[in-house]
Amino acid sequence: MREDAKTPARHAQRMARKQAIMQARIAAAQKEQGLLLVLTGPGKGKSSSGFGMAARALGHGMKVGVVQFIKGRIPTGEAAFFSNLPGVTYHIMGEGYTWDTQDRERDVAMATAAWEQAAAMLRDPRYDLVLLDELNIALRYDYLDHDQVYDDLLQRPPMQHVVVTGRYAPQPLIELADTVTEMKVVKHAFADQGVKAQKGIEL
Amino acid sequence: MREDAKTPARHAQRMARKQAIMQARIAAAQKEQGLLLVLTGPGKGKSSSGFGMAARALGHGMKVGVVQFIKGRIPTGEAAFFSNLPGVTYHIMGEGYTWDTQDRERDVAMATAAWEQAAAMLRDPRYDLVLLDELNIALRYDYLDHDQVYDDLLQRPPMQHVVVTGRYAPQPLIELADTVTEMKVVKHAFADQGVKAQKGIEL
């Protein structure tokens, strides 16, 4: 059971706070503000979209933080590219979850340690954009305390953008978000035909 | 009327050729091969996903070509970031289409000149990945000869990846593609509320 479902009062309180923030934002109309973007769904392009937004932000001279909550295989291309760029702070969570070995305690510990890195960025107004890659997977399996995550997101500096990627974005996160895009698979010609992931495109 | 609809024989020929390529690819199973990816639909994240894939490819030491078929406003962040990186060749099409002034001849000329840059990359096996950003818009308005575009894509070097972005991907392009993702808008809180595009996230 999800943390958020366990605490309806806390959820209501968070939604009220969110509504107040939304109303202030709408009243501010033409003002700039930090956005929370969620990229979810089964289609390809969620993480790459997040990294593209990070690149765009860097192009504007903005400071970017990345925390990669990995699914299993170690991401290579984006880490190689972004992790040594000036203006980027980059954390990769441990060594992936224990899908095979099923050591839940270890998975929770790893995800929690990664969230501590994320939370530090979400408290630091020097970060203009924070990319939380595959966070949704950590939430999906309740490796993180949902309420803590949502509260940290809500309490971030007002001008800070956050991009969250991963399948299965939980409903409370969608409610908190400003913009949500779902990636749909229209066609994936080789998904069932044994063609391996292509370096540079998929890894 | 689309070029492709005008020439059913050519379309059938192209599909037969595509089918032969597909069969060879499937037979090759675990072999690597150049993929054609299409990112379309109304949701946010199409171009940024293409640029994220470009970043990932650069992270693998691959050579990347970008042609930006712009919609109107001049893209800034990604051009600033990518255009001077080693390993990247970057072309931006003219000054945007004449949506207001409706000078179709000029739009066709601009798009055609941009396609010539793209076609040169699609003939050059040194490019590991070619990003054709917002190409779908140029096709949508028939600013380009569809058959020429599809033929140039099909005849590219076998290991070359191509990423095409933009709303309204035409059906023949979807048929040619290996992977197609449609970005759906689940939520866009401020789309109708006068909040301006956010530097670093949207421009």
Side-chain angles (χ1 to χ4, degrees):
Chain A
M1 195 174 160
R2 296 283 160 81
E3 293 300 316
D4 44 277
K6 288 183 211 157
T7 55
R10 190 139 181 220
H11 178 77
Q13 182 189 33
R14 197 165 57 229
M15 284 302 124
R17 202 185 328 155
K18 170 70 178 173
Q19 197 179 23
I21 292 171
M22 292 272 288
Q23 282 165 352
R25 286 183 174 183
I26 291 164
Q30 289 296 321
K31 281 181 64 178
E32 294 201 346
Q33 66 213 8
L35 299 177
L36 174 58
L37 282 80
V38 173
L39 303 162
T40 192
K44 274 185 65 61
K46 299 180 290 294
S47 289
S48 45
S49 186
F51 281 98
M53 291 175 189
R56 191 179 288 151
L58 291 168
H60 284 289
M62 296 162 84
K63 184 171 167 63
V64 171
V66 178
V67 179
Q68 227 170 348
F69 296 83
I70 57 180
K71 276 179 296 195
R73 67 172 188 218
I74 302 293
T76 51
E78 55 266 40
F81 184 75
F82 283 99
S83 60
N84 293 313
L85 285 180
V88 179
T89 307
Y90 204 105
H91 287 286
I92 302 182
M93 184 192 80
E95 307 144 45
Y97 301 114
T98 59
W99 300 129
D100 299 326
T101 54
Q102 295 280 322
D103 183 348
R104 181 172 174 82
E105 211 168 298
R106 179 176 167 278
D107 293 343
V108 168
M110 273 200 317
T112 303
W115 184 256
E116 280 165 21
Q117 301 290 344
M121 292 173 180
L122 296 173
R123 283 190 300 267
D124 185 343
R126 288 173 300 175
Y127 289 99
D128 301 296
L129 185 147
V130 177
L131 169 58
L132 303 173
D133 186 43
E134 300 290 3
L135 173 61
N136 290 338
I137 301 296
L139 292 169
R140 163 93 170 163
Y141 291 96
D142 293 333
Y143 290 153
L144 293 172
D145 177 335
H146 285 229
D147 277 322
Q148 186 65 53
V149 167
Y150 304 141
D151 286 348
D152 289 346
L153 286 170
L154 258 180
Q155 286 161 18
R156 74 188 193 277
M159 295 300 291
Q160 188 180 75
H161 301 299
V162 176
V163 181
V164 174
T165 78
R167 276 197 197 202
Y168 312 116
Q171 193 55 36
L173 180 65
I174 288 173
E175 287 171 31
L176 285 181
D178 299 296
T179 298
V180 180
T181 302
E182 186 193 342
M183 270 67 161
K184 263 181 59 183
V185 181
V186 175
K187 183 177 180 181
H188 198 153
F190 298 104
D192 308 315
Q193 292 160 346
V195 170
K196 69 183 206 182
Q198 301 294 295
K199 187 183 70 166
I201 284 281
E202 312 197 86
L203 290 178
Chain B
M1 195 174 161
R2 297 283 159 83
E3 293 299 320
D4 45 277
K6 289 182 210 158
T7 54
R10 192 142 179 216
H11 177 77
Q13 183 189 32
R14 197 163 57 229
M15 284 302 124
R17 203 184 327 154
K18 170 71 179 172
Q19 198 179 19
I21 292 171
M22 293 272 288
Q23 284 166 350
R25 286 182 173 183
I26 291 165
Q30 289 296 322
K31 281 182 66 179
E32 294 202 345
Q33 64 213 12
L35 298 177
L36 174 58
L37 281 81
V38 173
L39 303 162
T40 192
K44 275 185 64 59
K46 300 180 289 295
S47 290
S48 46
S49 186
F51 281 99
M53 290 174 189
R56 191 179 290 152
L58 290 168
H60 284 288
M62 297 163 84
K63 185 171 165 63
V64 172
V66 179
V67 179
Q68 229 171 346
F69 296 83
I70 56 181
K71 278 179 296 195
R73 66 171 190 221
I74 303 293
T76 52
E78 54 268 38
F81 183 74
F82 282 99
S83 60
N84 293 313
L85 285 180
V88 179
T89 308
Y90 204 104
H91 287 285
I92 303 182
M93 184 192 79
E95 305 144 45
Y97 302 115
T98 60
W99 300 128
D100 299 328
T101 53
Q102 295 280 320
D103 183 347
R104 182 171 173 83
E105 212 169 296
R106 178 175 167 280
D107 292 344
V108 168
M110 274 199 318
T112 303
W115 184 256
E116 281 164 18
Q117 301 289 344
M121 292 173 180
L122 295 174
R123 283 190 300 267
D124 186 343
R126 287 174 301 174
Y127 288 98
D128 300 297
L129 186 146
V130 177
L131 170 58
L132 303 173
D133 186 42
E134 300 290 1
L135 172 62
N136 290 339
I137 301 298
L139 292 170
R140 163 93 169 164
Y141 291 97
D142 293 333
Y143 290 153
L144 293 172
D145 178 335
H146 285 228
D147 276 323
Q148 185 65 54
V149 166
Y150 304 141
D151 287 349
D152 289 346
L153 286 171
L154 259 180
Q155 286 161 19
R156 74 189 193 277
M159 295 300 292
Q160 188 180 75
H161 301 300
V162 176
V163 182
V164 174
T165 78
R167 274 195 199 205
Y168 312 117
Q171 193 56 36
L173 180 65
I174 288 173
E175 288 171 30
L176 285 182
D178 299 296
T179 298
V180 180
T181 303
E182 186 193 342
M183 270 69 162
K184 263 182 60 185
V185 181
V186 175
K187 183 178 181 181
H188 198 154
F190 298 104
D192 308 314
Q193 292 160 349
V195 170
K196 69 184 204 176
Q198 303 293 296
K199 187 184 71 163
I201 284 281
E202 311 200 86
L203 288 179

